[in-house]
Amino acid sequence: QVQLVESGGGLVQPGGSLRLSCAASGITFGAYTMGWYSQAPGKQRELVAAITSGGSTNYADSMKGRFTISRDNAKNTVFLQMNSLKPEDTAVYYCNAKLQSVINYWGKGTLVTVSS
């Protein structure tokens, strides 16, 4: 059974930082492209950042320079370091595991709220 379990969300003040983690089980983690997506209230889910099996990364334009995605294949975990957080970053953040655009798994999400 495949599981993606996110953690690390919470309430943070503008300008603050959070580090999200996603622990994967039931998949050959190293073979998957791992990603983080965000979904704000009333909006569609959108890509925040992704990292391939080879370590290549890509980011949404609004996150470049503020967010960093990384992975630890030995621990089957992907991370999202979020710095300089803004109120507009408030959303549920979902972990995604994708294999050759055919197999696609999602976590249940973790809420990030940026507010003073």
Side-chain angles (χ1 to χ4, degrees):
Q1 181 181 0
V2 177
Q3 283 193 311
L4 302 177
V5 181
E6 301 98 334
S7 61
L11 174 64
V12 62
Q13 292 187 341
S17 298
L18 281 176
R19 189 191 196 207
L20 305 184
S21 300
C22 171
S25 59
I27 60 172
T28 306
F29 182 80
Y32 281 71
T33 290
M34 300 300 298
W36 288 95
Y37 288 71
S38 66
Q39 188 166 18
K43 295 188 176 181
Q44 289 190 331
R45 193 173 299 186
E46 58 184 15
L47 176 69
V48 173
I51 183 166
T52 68
S53 58
S56 297
T57 59
N58 68 287
Y59 296 89
D61 287 343
S62 59
M63 280 70 176
K64 286 181 182 177
R66 298 191 299 124
F67 291 8
T68 303
I69 189 170
S70 61
R71 65 191 296 162
D72 184 338
N73 289 341
K75 295 183 178 181
N76 288 2
T77 302
V78 62
F79 305 97
L80 184 68
Q81 178 67 44
M82 305 188 294
N83 299 327
S84 302
L85 283 160
K86 305 174 181 180
E88 51 264 43
D89 295 322
T90 295
V92 177
Y93 285 74
Y94 295 92
C95 180
N96 174 263
K98 188 172 299 183
L99 184 63
Q100 298 178 350
S101 301
V102 176
I103 299 174
N104 206 19
Y105 298 112
W106 293 95
K108 293 183 178 180
T110 185
L111 176 64
V112 171
T113 303
V114 184
S115 175
S116 55

